[in-house]
Amino acid sequence: MSEVPLYFGGGGFDLFGVMHAAQAPARDVGFVFCAPFAEEKLWTHLVYVNFARELARRGHPVLRFDYRGTGDSAGDFEDATPQACVADTLCAIGALRERAGPLAGVGLLGLRFGATVAAMAAERCDDVRRLVLWSPVLRGGAYVQELLRVNLAMQIAQFKEVRRDREELVRAMREGQTTNVDGYEITLETYEQLGTIDLLAGPGAAAAARCLVVQIAPRPLEGPGPELLRLAAQYRDGRAVVSVEEPFWKEIKPLYTRAERLFAGTLGWMGGEHGAL
Amino acid sequence: MPCRPVAFRNRDGHQLVGIVHEPDAGPRHPVPVILLPPGAKYRVAPHRLYVKLARHLAGMGFVVLRLDFSGLGDSEGSIGESMIADFHGTVQLGRYVDDTRCAMDWMGREFGASRFILGGLCGGAITGLLAGAQDARVDALVGLGLPVLLDSENVDATKYLTAGELDQWRRGYWSKAMDPASWWRLLTFRSNYRVILKALARPLVNRAPRPESTDAAAGAPPADNSNPLVPAAFKAMTAGRRMLLVFGEADRLHAIYEERLVQRHAASWREHAGNVEVKVVPGANHIFSLPEWEGAMRGHVESWLRRHYAAGGIAHAVSEA
């Protein structure tokens, strides 16, 4: 197993990543992994690591990386706006190409907000041929309201009451303060940028990419939800499926180092009718 | 302040990955700090607590290593447990003491250091305590939210115990041979049969034994889920070395520390009590998630380091063994 931790340049920040070298026989599509938001990144880290190792074993070079202000990258969390995360993903694509040898194309993989970043980055990079979106956040506006609710829950835990409701939190952000979500400071810039995100508005330049959209659910479903089907349909060769796994991006009792059904389904798509990579 | 990724092998041949923070300029303290991962999360810790702390400590002149233990983060290896509580239980019984010692070996080769300050939140704190009890190179411990309980009963406690620790448990079991309550627990399937068998069979554990504790209470297996290794480890660390323990006021682990460790066992390290400093951050939770809580925690750590580790010096405990 050849894995190299490294720093590469991105938008004025030193970005941390781990390069997983492809094992022979090498394939000509490499992958960049886009991390979920805030603490979800920590809960899902081992799943990302082990899927990167699976892809590397199958001949795909993989670069996992941290956006500015997250993980081991330079900067503070306040720097990690959605647009900055997209910009850093584009830098990571360049870093992958510099280190992986000749590639016919690049794939992006992400979970939750990472899937959202992957989809947005693909719109700005026609080098992206494969898109794997695990439980994507479709609308940033709804997502940021979830984040504000985490702050409310923290207030209840600490004060036994909500002292500042969501409107007051937003007003405070407009006055230059930040909102704490599980230890991460959300800025007005991040709040407003999240509010503009709508993956169902169309993939733009990424429409030509092959795309797998996965709905992760704790119990079997008859099929993916209608919005995920709409998302997949926006791509030339898009497919939406369901994978039964616990929500391992949260604090749960099982220890998730791998998500076997999710791995199998994604690898099956990669190696099946939607194109051997 | 510069930081760089590093990698080295542990005793099982697994590559361990870490980040070293080095001071930008000015005098460099000869005693590095190693921040040990908290539980199942990796070297950055909740809300990048360790990244921010490491940057701060590097600014004070300390070289800081944050690393991932085997099977965690970006390191090689794997974790066999399927439940987080069971995995935490193995950490609390010393799963990563060896990796910690390997980290000290590497830092010794890389920076010429012979003594170290270990720091960590939760699982990192207990790993640091147990490593310190076994390795004299540990000069001090900074423990955040130190857990003194075992999170799970479904752990093979014998897997990580040293020969000395098993000897302690065996003496504890013999001392209970005439206790009817102990026999009742044995006969009603509430005892840890695996540990009993291994302790009584004098195991072939191939590890260096710790200094033995003369405190029978500290060595006796507890009747509840208190971590049986903690009292003796605490005594070993306090006799000659220093500890700073920081808890959040709202962290239940603080109350548990007071009830299960201090009230039961403090007599055994009374003569060295001055070597332990405990700070409580008002209102704070286990991970110091608000900026004011994190700032207060960092302030306690900075103040303690400045008092005991003046630039170029190595701390000496108030009372030594």
Side-chain angles (χ1 to χ4, degrees), chain A residues 142-227:
Chain A
Y143 182 61
V144 79
Q145 294 303 316
E146 282 181 37
L147 297 177
L148 295 183
R149 278 195 288 274
V150 172
N151 179 281
L152 302 186
M154 186 275 294
Q155 290 184 52
I156 291 173
Q158 184 183 10
F159 305 121
K160 307 293 185 267
E161 62 178 356
V162 173
R163 292 188 175 176
R164 295 206 296 176
D165 62 18
R166 280 183 280 176
E167 286 72 27
E168 287 169 320
L169 292 175
V170 174
R171 188 161 46 244
M173 282 191 284
R174 294 196 194 289
E175 292 171 359
Q177 296 177 36
T178 55
T179 294
N180 186 283
V181 174
D182 274 345
Y184 297 86
E185 299 298 327
I186 308 300
T187 63
L188 177 66
E189 196 173 4
T190 290
Y191 172 81
E192 289 182 333
Q193 287 184 17
L194 282 171
T196 65
I197 294 172
D198 182 355
L199 293 189
L200 296 178
R210 290 179 175 172
C211 177
L212 174 70
V213 179
V214 181
Q215 180 172 356
I216 300 173
R219 283 170 295 282
L221 301 174
E222 284 191 12
E227 290 197 321

Side-chain angles (χ1 to χ4, degrees), chain A residues 39 64 72-73 253 255, chain B residues 41 43 48 66 74 82:
Chain A
E39 202 72 354
R64 294 183 291 109
D72 283 309
S73 288
K253 290 184 179 179
L255 176 62
Chain B
K41 292 185 178 177
R43 64 183 181 272
R48 294 179 101 204
R66 295 184 285 111
D74 297 320
S82 61

Side-chain angles (χ1 to χ4, degrees), chain B residues 107-174:
Chain B
M107 291 285 276
R109 291 191 298 272
E110 187 78 4
F111 295 99
S114 58
R115 300 181 76 87
F116 301 88
I117 300 165
L118 300 185
L121 170 73
C122 200
I126 187 66
T127 298
L129 176 66
L130 297 178
Q134 293 186 32
D135 197 311
R137 291 177 294 174
V138 178
D139 201 67
L141 172 71
V142 175
L144 311 176
L146 174 74
V148 300
L149 300 182
L150 292 176
D151 280 8
S152 171
E153 294 179 351
N154 300 322
V155 176
D156 179 2
T158 64
K159 198 172 176 183
Y160 306 105
L161 297 180
T162 66
E165 287 159 352
L166 280 164
D167 280 347
Q168 286 185 334
W169 284 39
R170 188 178 71 252
R171 285 197 299 276
Y173 286 127
W174 284 126

